[in-house]
Amino acid sequence: MFTYIKTVFTKPKEIYTARNMKNSHYFSLILLTGLILTFLSIFEMFPIAVQFSDDYQEIKASIPDFELVDGQLESDTGSYIYQTNSIMLYFDSEDRITTDDIESNIPTQAAPISIGLLKDEIYFNAANATYSFTYDDFTYLTADSLMEAMDNMGNFTIGMYILLLIILLIFNLIFYIIQLIPISLFANLLSIVQKTHMTFFQNAKIALLASMGPFILIAILSAFQIQVAYQYEITLFSSLFLFYISITEMKKRIDKQKKPH
């Protein structure tokens, strides 16, 4: 398996040798690439996580004293909006802000996370994933217990970090496989046009090696906060280009072997 990895970066023209790769090596390389992409995405997300941690403490400190009375938020402080780089807080003791108001602001606001302590419910939105519940949903919820829960949100345990890493790995692996499928399909079309007579799975194995370099290179650039436009399009076309030159090289060598000496 490691011989194929070495070929990707030292002899890209010879990645056609992956057509004889064991199926176990194929799936192991997919998993390994997913692990590498996850590792690099941690570096990409680290500055964001640090920013979020600082902003969260700032947001939490800005929340005034309040009470929960008959399932509604009561406070001497009027409704207001507090924004940091990563969080937008909506505090609504006067029943002036609705979830529709918050969601209408999301496309234009710079902060990727919205938190709403509204008159009769709590609202949370991160990366367009929305969660909300009314105070009546929790019979024994008090202002103190709510603030304690918010404190715990900012204090991750080792177990929580491990869980987040597992979720991140699964997400990266699924996303990688979804992106790999079109590359494999187009690679098979190229193979048919070139009349290589290889099976779908043989082409998929070569396409896997052809795509590893582009995927990892884009992930490295992102890890160093270098934003590249049309990332998937670049990955797709560069992978197919590597696939094409490799099967072209393979055909040349096969034809050369067939010629009489």
Side-chain angles (χ1 to χ4, degrees):
M1 185 178 75
F2 293 103
T3 302
Y4 294 121
I5 297 174
K6 183 180 178 181
T7 303
V8 169
F9 297 101
T10 60
K11 300 177 181 178
K13 278 189 175 183
E14 297 181 12
I15 58 173
Y16 65 82
T17 55
R19 70 190 189 281
N20 299 319
M21 181 192 300
K22 293 180 180 178
N23 292 347
S24 59
H25 287 170
Y26 174 77
F27 292 110
S28 295
L29 282 175
I30 290 178
L31 178 59
L32 178 62
T33 306
L35 285 168
I36 294 171
L37 295 177
T38 300
F39 176 77
L40 292 170
S41 68
I42 292 173
F43 281 93
E44 181 183 0
M45 294 174 63
F46 183 75
I48 300 173
V50 172
Q51 180 68 58
F52 172 77
S53 179
D54 293 340
D55 288 353
Y56 185 78
Q57 297 303 321
E58 181 181 339
I59 285 288
K60 195 171 61 177
S62 75
I63 298 175
D65 292 333
F66 64 90
E67 294 180 330
L68 296 178
V69 180
D70 296 329
Q72 291 193 325
L73 186 147
E74 301 287 345
S75 176
D76 292 335
T77 304
S79 301
Y80 71 90
I81 299 173
Y82 192 102
Q83 181 177 4
T84 65
N85 291 328
S86 61
I87 304 173
M88 182 80 80
L89 171 70
Y90 297 84
F91 185 87
D92 182 26
S93 60
E94 301 172 308
D95 200 16
R96 294 168 53 187
I97 304 172
T98 66
T99 55
D100 289 338
D101 293 331
I102 298 175
E103 290 178 352
S104 66
N105 290 337
I106 289 174
T108 57
Q109 72 188 33
I113 298 172
S114 296
I115 299 174
L117 293 177
L118 307 182
K119 186 66 176 179
D120 55 5
E121 67 178 307
I122 293 178
Y123 176 91
F124 180 81
N125 183 291
N128 293 321
T130 299
Y131 308 89
S132 65
F133 60 86
T134 65
Y135 302 118
D136 285 333
D137 291 337
F138 299 88
T139 307
Y140 300 104
L141 183 66
T142 64
D144 290 338
S145 61
L146 177 57
M147 288 303 296
E148 183 179 350
M150 293 187 71
D151 284 337
N152 292 332
M153 281 179 61
N155 298 319
F156 290 134
T157 63
I158 294 176
M160 282 294 294
Y161 280 116
I162 293 174
L163 178 61
L164 287 173
L165 283 173
I166 293 173
I167 293 173
L168 186 61
L169 172 61
I170 293 172
F171 173 80
N172 275 289
L173 196 56
I174 292 174
F175 191 60
Y176 170 57
I177 292 172
I178 290 173
Q179 291 184 312
L180 184 61
I181 290 172
I183 295 173
S184 299
L185 292 173
F186 281 115
N188 268 275
L189 290 177
L190 280 176
S191 181
I192 292 171
V193 171
Q194 289 292 95
K195 298 179 180 180
T196 62
H197 305 295
M198 288 190 292
T199 66
F200 179 91
F201 206 32
Q202 283 179 314
N203 289 317
K205 290 174 180 178
I206 301 172
L208 171 62
L209 292 195
S211 67
M212 281 181 66
F215 269 117
I216 293 173
L217 178 59
I218 291 293
I220 290 173
L221 292 175
S222 297
F224 284 96
Q225 307 301 312
I226 301 173
Q227 299 302 318
V228 179
Y230 306 107
Q231 292 186 3
Y232 183 62
E233 289 80 0
I234 292 173
T235 302
L236 173 64
F237 287 112
S238 57
S239 299
L240 293 176
F241 176 72
L242 289 172
F243 178 87
Y244 175 78
I245 63 173
S246 180
I247 61 173
T248 301
E249 179 68 17
M250 178 189 71
K251 288 188 65 179
K252 286 180 181 178
R253 296 194 181 190
I254 291 175
D255 291 340
K256 186 176 180 180
Q257 289 175 358
K258 287 182 179 180
K259 289 180 180 180
H261 296 286

